[in-house]
Amino acid sequence: FGGSVGNKIAVANVVGKTYEEAFTTLTGQDLLVARKLEVSSTVPAGVVISTDPPAGQEVGVKTTISVVVSTGQELALMPNLAGLTEQDAILAITNAKLVLGTITQSDSPTIEKNLVISSEPAANQQITAGTVVNLVLSTGSVLVPNIVNLEISDARSQLTSPAVGYIVETQVDPTCTGVAGTAVIAQSIPAGIQPQKQTIVLTLECLVN
């Protein structure tokens, strides 16, 4: 507790105490207290960062002491960046008081090329300001499997799966005079990395009557 010299009161040192403790101490010295809030990444929420006038300074009775109290780290709402362009995503990250981290690319059957597929942290959660946000952008491509020699049902399920998302059509070789079998003998789009949202034509084997 600050001592009293005549009508002067030495402001007590309440830095590091909780606001409640500081309030009790200072009002006990016959001083008035005004609470001010300040974001701090080092001082826990509810703890006194500083006072104005500072500790030890002599003031008169009923002087108002500004007590600066930490609100803890500032919170930010993680924006939903999915589907945005890289530029728009970076702008949204900056506006939310967040920091851009890494930008990587990944295949996607649905998200257009160079648009955001996902972010880390995920959207719509409260995070501390200054958190690093990593982005994943779409290549606009998918990995097409080799489905030659597969049964049409297996081939269709692989190609229409969420990872590929192709539309599947079938045909039989025009020279076929018999009936179509169920095995795939050719695919119109070769296996490997290919553009998303395609229609792939599968040629079925010809069974001779």
Side-chain angles (χ1 to χ4, degrees):
F1 286 80
S4 175
V5 182
N7 287 334
K8 291 289 187 180
I9 301 165
V11 177
N13 183 7
V14 293
V15 172
K17 296 181 182 297
T18 66
Y19 173 72
E20 290 74 18
E21 290 172 326
F23 182 86
T24 301
T25 299
L26 294 172
T27 54
Q29 287 189 290
D30 215 5
L31 298 171
L32 303 177
V33 175
R35 180 167 66 166
K36 293 187 176 179
L37 299 177
E38 192 173 288
V39 172
S40 173
S41 59
T42 54
V43 179
V47 173
V48 177
I49 299 171
S50 61
T51 59
D52 183 23
Q57 184 163 323
E58 295 190 345
V59 296
V61 172
K62 302 296 185 191
T63 298
T64 298
I65 309 298
S66 291
V67 177
V68 181
V69 181
S70 171
T71 60
Q73 286 188 303
E74 186 173 5
L75 289 179
L77 181 65
M78 178 64 199
N80 184 2
L81 306 175
L84 296 184
T85 63
E86 183 179 336
Q87 278 184 316
D88 286 347
I90 292 171
L91 186 62
I93 288 168
T94 306
N95 288 344
K97 298 184 179 177
L98 302 169
V99 177
L100 177 67
T102 59
I103 297 177
T104 53
Q105 289 197 309
S106 180
D107 294 340
S108 170
T110 54
I111 306 294
E112 301 285 345
K113 185 177 181 180
N114 293 330
L115 298 187
V116 175
I117 298 174
S118 62
S119 63
E120 176 63 40
N124 301 321
Q125 55 181 322
Q126 289 282 354
I127 54 178
T128 49
T131 295
V132 172
V133 177
N134 299 323
L135 297 178
V136 179
L137 300 184
S138 172
T139 60
S141 304
V142 292
L143 179 60
V144 175
N146 180 6
I147 44 76
V148 172
N149 297 325
L150 291 185
E151 288 290 304
I152 181 62
S153 57
D154 290 343
R156 188 185 298 275
S157 65
Q158 285 192 32
L159 292 168
T160 59
S161 70
V164 183
Y166 272 17
I167 295 170
V168 175
E169 294 182 355
T170 57
Q171 67 177 17
V172 184
D173 189 314
T175 63
C176 177
T177 55
V179 294
T182 57
V184 177
I185 59 170
Q187 58 192 93
S188 64
I189 298 173
I193 301 294
Q194 301 290 355
Q196 65 187 187
K197 300 180 182 178
Q198 302 295 307
T199 296
I200 187 169
V201 180
L202 306 182
T203 304
L204 301 177
E205 64 182 334
C206 176
L207 299 179
V208 179
N209 284 336

